[in-house]
Amino acid sequence: MELTEKTLNEEYIYKGRIIKVRRDEVELPNGHKSMREVVEHSGGVCVLPLTDRDEVIFVRQFRYPYKEVILEIPAGKRDHGEESPLECGKRELAEETGYTARELVDLGPFHPSPGATAETIHLFLARCDAHAGETHQDPSESIRGREATLAELATLIASGEFRHGAGLAAYARAVARGLIEPPLPEKGARR
């Protein structure tokens, strides 16, 4: 059965610095017409960084849409011209944490919200040296880093404190590919 929808008309509703929003008229495979609202985004990366001590490097940052500080792993948009996902991953890791990756393993693309956005986030696992250098955060960001063991990460996931979608996807892909051994959550974690 054919599932592809044919675009009949595209209308841009908003064009901003980071996103564009358009409303498209489409023809469904059954011949009916419908409307689709699409958020265009340049895409980005998300890096699951591990030190030589098997510690995960987190960042905390205020996320305006949620009006709260969110625990994440380094991530960011591809905003430097024709920057490859690999180069973007290296840059975001260094800017946000001060760590440099000895090795970046490509974990593949992730579509965070395919019903509404055209954003693709490229996921990576980074093997990092044990010590951080200086961070070079974007002037529009205020980020604080911290490290935790893989068991602490499992606890944060089990308790629901770690809700970063791309971070969860990167962790799941790294575990599924056998790149990291999933530890059990620490005792006392909510399940």
Side-chain angles (χ1 to χ4, degrees):
M1 178 174 149
E2 178 63 39
L3 298 174
T4 304
E5 299 175 357
K6 179 181 175 186
T7 303
L8 302 175
N9 185 42
E10 292 181 349
E11 174 192 5
Y12 280 93
I13 301 166
Y14 173 78
K15 291 184 178 183
R17 188 176 60 84
I18 297 175
I19 64 166
K20 296 177 186 173
V21 180
R22 52 172 224 269
R23 183 176 32 235
D24 295 355
E25 181 182 15
V26 298
E27 182 179 313
L28 305 175
N30 63 10
H32 292 124
K33 292 181 181 173
S34 188
M35 299 301 285
R36 300 288 182 248
E37 293 175 347
V38 179
V39 177
E40 294 180 1
H41 187 282
S42 62
V45 298
C46 183
V47 180
L48 176 61
L50 295 177
T51 68
D52 290 336
R53 300 180 306 268
D54 278 338
E55 291 178 320
V56 178
I57 304 153
F58 290 106
V59 294
R60 285 191 181 276
Q61 124 174 254
F62 182 80
R63 290 301 192 174
Y64 185 81
Y66 299 105
K67 303 284 195 271
E68 66 179 283
V69 174
I70 304 290
L71 181 64
E72 306 175 2
I73 58 176
K77 67 183 179 350
R78 292 172 62 190
D79 57 358
H80 291 277
E82 295 298 316
E83 182 178 48
S84 73
L86 182 69
E87 290 305 312
C88 183
K90 289 177 185 178
R91 177 182 55 78
E92 286 291 341
L93 176 64
E95 283 179 4
E96 293 187 4
T97 69
Y99 282 88
T100 302
R102 283 191 325 276
E103 174 187 20
L104 268 175
V105 179
D106 188 345
L107 299 174
F110 168 68
H111 300 301
S113 187
T117 85
E119 180 180 19
T120 297
I121 298 174
H122 296 270
L123 307 174
F124 292 93
L125 172 71
R127 304 278 183 197
C128 302
D129 293 325
H131 302 288
E134 196 173 318
T135 63
H136 301 282
Q137 296 173 12
D138 187 288
S140 66
E141 296 176 319
S142 181
I143 299 171
R144 300 292 176 263
R146 81 180 263 265
E147 295 151 359
T149 65
L150 285 170
E152 288 172 296
L153 173 58
T155 300
L156 293 166
I157 291 170
S159 72
E161 186 177 342
F162 186 73
R163 300 183 299 271
H164 183 224
L168 291 166
Y171 177 78
R173 290 250 180 98
V175 168
R177 289 177 60 186
L179 298 171
I180 58 175
E181 190 69 32
L184 294 175
E186 295 175 337
K187 291 193 181 246
R190 289 179 278 154
R191 294 176 194 233

